[in-house]
Amino acid sequence: MSRNSSRLNSVFYAASYHPIQAGSIDGTDVLPHDNAVYRAHLCSSAGLYDPFGDPKAVGDPYCTLFVGRLSHFTSEDTLRKAMSKYGRVKNLRLVRHIVTGASRGYAFVEYETEREMRRAYKDAHHSFIDDSEIIVDYNRQQLMPGWIPRRLGGGLGGKKESGQLRFGGRERPFRAPLRPIPLDDLKRLGIPPPPEGRYMSRSEVPSPPRRGQGLLDKEEGSHRSSRNRDAHTHKKNSEEREDCVHGRSPEDVLDHSYYRGSEEEHRHDRRRHKDKEFSSRKSSMELEEKYHYRSSVEKEEAVRSSLDGEDRSHKRSSINDDERAKKRSKRSSSEREDHKERDSSDREERRHKSRSRDEREHSYKHDKHRERSHQREGERSISREYASNY
């Protein structure tokens, strides 16, 4: 438990590039987890990418820095002014789109000396240029063995939104593995295993490769070859002494030993070559079978999930249609009842109005009739009085 807890904050960085390892968070995966990693692995195994074939990549790679996440509005002058704080800039190349000429957001800066490059590598990382936080790394295209760029499915870093993170670089290092390491599978695929016992903390800055490392390797190789040569001459002298004791001539011994050694060497070379070809073919066939099986299973699951989703959506739509029809029927019945009630009230109001109007007209006629009858009675009484007087 304490060992796993101590490894939670431990990381390590990739010295060489392998596409399958770059797609793993702890550097122990043996299968590509997406199509881009599979494409990068095919390009790497077939040798389709030449890191030294870019005619624009000029200058000393040990004095060149990669500057990424630049603002698309940053110009060459602004970048030169910002990177000149750390040393004398010898050459600068801001990568632009081949058709539109717009900035692609990254550049390569070459300094006069390797010391100035290392200073910028250490101090310019996560600095700001035109309100954009930049990242700085060494020229992995020419200095990292097995490098595959991002456009072919490789690269390092990335964002979580893209879904294609690549680990092992300065921005996203490998985490110390908490599960058992499959050393046999890693060895079969040519993936370097995690450096157990030599992990780093996140606060430590990984140093870029130095120019003298290749010379030191050459010197060690020459010393190793000289030691092997001395051992071979010593063995040869002892065999000559034994042959002289047994009465064999030096010419016969030399011819026999030469032919026997050459035949054994050719036999061993052929066997090694066949074993290497067989292992590479077997690993590639196993990888392709696993990938195709995984892709077929994922496709079946996707089709099944899409069919289930369509069935659920069809059921949901039918239920929604039924609910809408019920609501419409309820609404139409309530509207009909309201309409009937309004019609009945309107008819009653019209009847009441017509009745009141008829009553008013009847009362008015009755009053007129009474007035006329009173006038006639008055006229008759006056005519009677007038006739009685005469």
Side-chain angles (χ1 to χ4, degrees):
M1 183 68 184
S2 60
R3 184 180 180 183
N4 290 338
S5 61
S6 64
R7 285 190 177 186
L8 289 176
N9 295 323
S10 300
V11 297
F12 66 98
Y13 300 89
S16 61
Y17 191 85
H18 196 283
I20 298 179
Q21 187 183 31
S24 173
I25 193 171
D26 58 356
T28 59
D29 286 358
V30 294
L31 286 175
H33 69 277
D34 58 17
N35 292 329
V37 173
Y38 184 70
R39 187 172 70 251
H41 180 62
L42 290 179
C43 293
S44 177
S45 59
L48 300 178
Y49 176 70
D50 183 14
F52 299 96
D54 188 4
K56 297 180 181 179
V58 296
D60 189 0
Y62 290 96
C63 299
T64 304
L65 279 181
F66 167 81
V67 183
R69 296 184 186 176
L70 289 169
S71 172
H72 292 283
F73 301 101
T74 301
S75 61
E76 285 84 352
D77 296 336
T78 306
L79 181 61
R80 184 182 293 273
K81 183 178 179 181
M83 300 304 291
S84 297
K85 301 176 184 177
Y86 312 102
R88 298 165 295 169
V89 177
K90 181 179 180 180
N91 188 18
L92 186 145
R93 180 168 67 95
L94 181 63
V95 180
R96 295 184 175 274
H97 196 276
I98 192 171
V99 177
T100 61
S103 173
R104 299 293 297 272
Y106 64 96
F108 295 92
V109 181
E110 182 186 2
Y111 285 91
E112 292 286 346
T113 61
E114 191 174 348
R115 180 179 295 178
E116 293 170 336
M117 184 277 292
R118 290 181 176 276
R119 180 187 174 191
Y121 175 83
K122 183 179 179 181
D123 298 337
H125 192 54
H126 287 304
S127 62
F128 286 87
I129 299 177
D130 288 341
D131 298 331
S132 293
E133 188 176 5
I134 65 171
I135 59 172
V136 175
D137 204 350
Y138 67 90
N139 189 3
R140 294 182 182 268
Q141 177 182 354
Q142 297 179 350
L143 297 181
M144 191 173 194
W147 173 254
I148 299 294
R150 170 66 74 171
R151 68 176 183 272
L152 298 178
L156 292 173
K159 295 183 179 180
K160 292 183 178 179
E161 294 81 8
S162 64
Q164 293 183 1
L165 296 178
R166 300 292 181 267
F167 300 91
R170 186 179 185 184
E171 189 66 13
R172 291 188 181 276
F174 293 120
R175 296 180 184 177
L178 302 178
R179 59 183 180 179
I181 302 173
L183 296 175
D184 295 335
D185 295 334
L186 296 178
K187 184 178 180 181
R188 176 172 53 83
L189 294 173
I191 300 175
E196 291 187 291
R198 292 183 288 113
Y199 297 116
M200 301 173 64
S201 64
R202 289 187 177 273
S203 59
E204 296 182 64
V205 180
S207 61
R210 296 181 178 274
R211 193 187 303 273
Q213 288 179 352
L215 298 176
L216 292 175
D217 295 338
K218 289 181 180 179
E219 290 177 358
E220 290 179 359
S222 63
H223 288 306
R224 195 181 299 112
S225 62
S226 63
R227 287 196 299 270
N228 293 334
R229 197 182 303 113
D230 294 337
H232 181 68
T233 54
H234 179 71
K235 184 178 179 181
K236 187 176 179 182
N237 293 330
S238 62
E239 289 178 354
E240 287 179 355
R241 284 195 297 271
E242 289 179 358
D243 293 333
C244 291
V245 170
H246 292 290
R248 285 182 294 203
S249 64
E251 290 82 4
D252 297 336
V253 172
L254 286 174
D255 294 338
H256 181 68
S257 63
Y258 175 76
Y259 286 117
R260 184 178 58 188
S262 62
E263 287 178 358
E264 289 179 356
E265 288 178 359
H266 286 303
R267 195 181 304 112
H268 287 303
D269 291 338
R270 284 196 299 270
R271 189 179 295 114
R272 279 197 300 270
H273 185 66
K274 288 181 180 179
D275 293 339
K276 190 180 293 183
E277 286 184 353
F278 178 74
S279 62
S280 63
R281 288 176 184 173
K282 185 178 179 181
S283 61
S284 62
M285 289 173 66
E286 290 177 354
L287 187 63
E288 288 179 357
E289 288 177 358
K290 291 181 181 179
Y291 177 75
H292 288 306
Y293 174 74
R294 186 175 177 182
S295 61
S296 62
V297 171
E298 290 177 354
K299 287 180 181 177
E300 290 178 359
E301 291 179 354
V303 171
R304 194 179 298 111
S305 62
S306 63
L307 291 175
D308 295 338
E310 288 179 358
D311 294 336
R312 286 195 295 271
S313 63
H314 182 68
K315 291 179 181 178
R316 197 180 297 113
S317 63
S318 62
I319 292 170
N320 293 332
D321 293 338
D322 295 338
E323 290 179 354
R324 290 195 198 95
K326 290 178 181 179
K327 288 181 181 179
R328 283 199 212 96
S329 62
K330 289 181 181 178
R331 196 181 301 117
S332 60
S333 61
S334 61
E335 287 178 355
R336 283 196 297 271
E337 290 176 358
D338 294 338
H339 187 66
K340 288 179 181 178
E341 290 178 357
R342 283 197 298 271
D343 291 341
S344 61
S345 61
D346 292 339
R347 282 196 296 271
E348 288 178 358
E349 287 180 359
R350 284 197 294 273
R351 287 174 192 155
H352 182 68
K353 287 180 181 179
S354 62
R355 194 182 298 114
S356 60
R357 189 170 55 253
D358 294 339
E359 289 176 355
R360 285 196 300 272
E361 289 179 354
H362 181 69
S363 62
Y364 178 74
K365 290 180 181 180
H366 185 67
D367 294 338
K368 285 288 186 181
H369 182 69
R370 288 176 63 186
E371 287 179 359
R372 287 173 187 165
S373 63
H374 285 313
Q375 286 179 0
R376 289 194 196 98
E377 288 178 359
E379 289 177 356
R380 287 173 186 168
S381 62
I382 291 171
S383 61
R384 287 193 196 107
E385 289 177 1
Y386 184 75
S388 64
N389 290 329
Y390 286 97

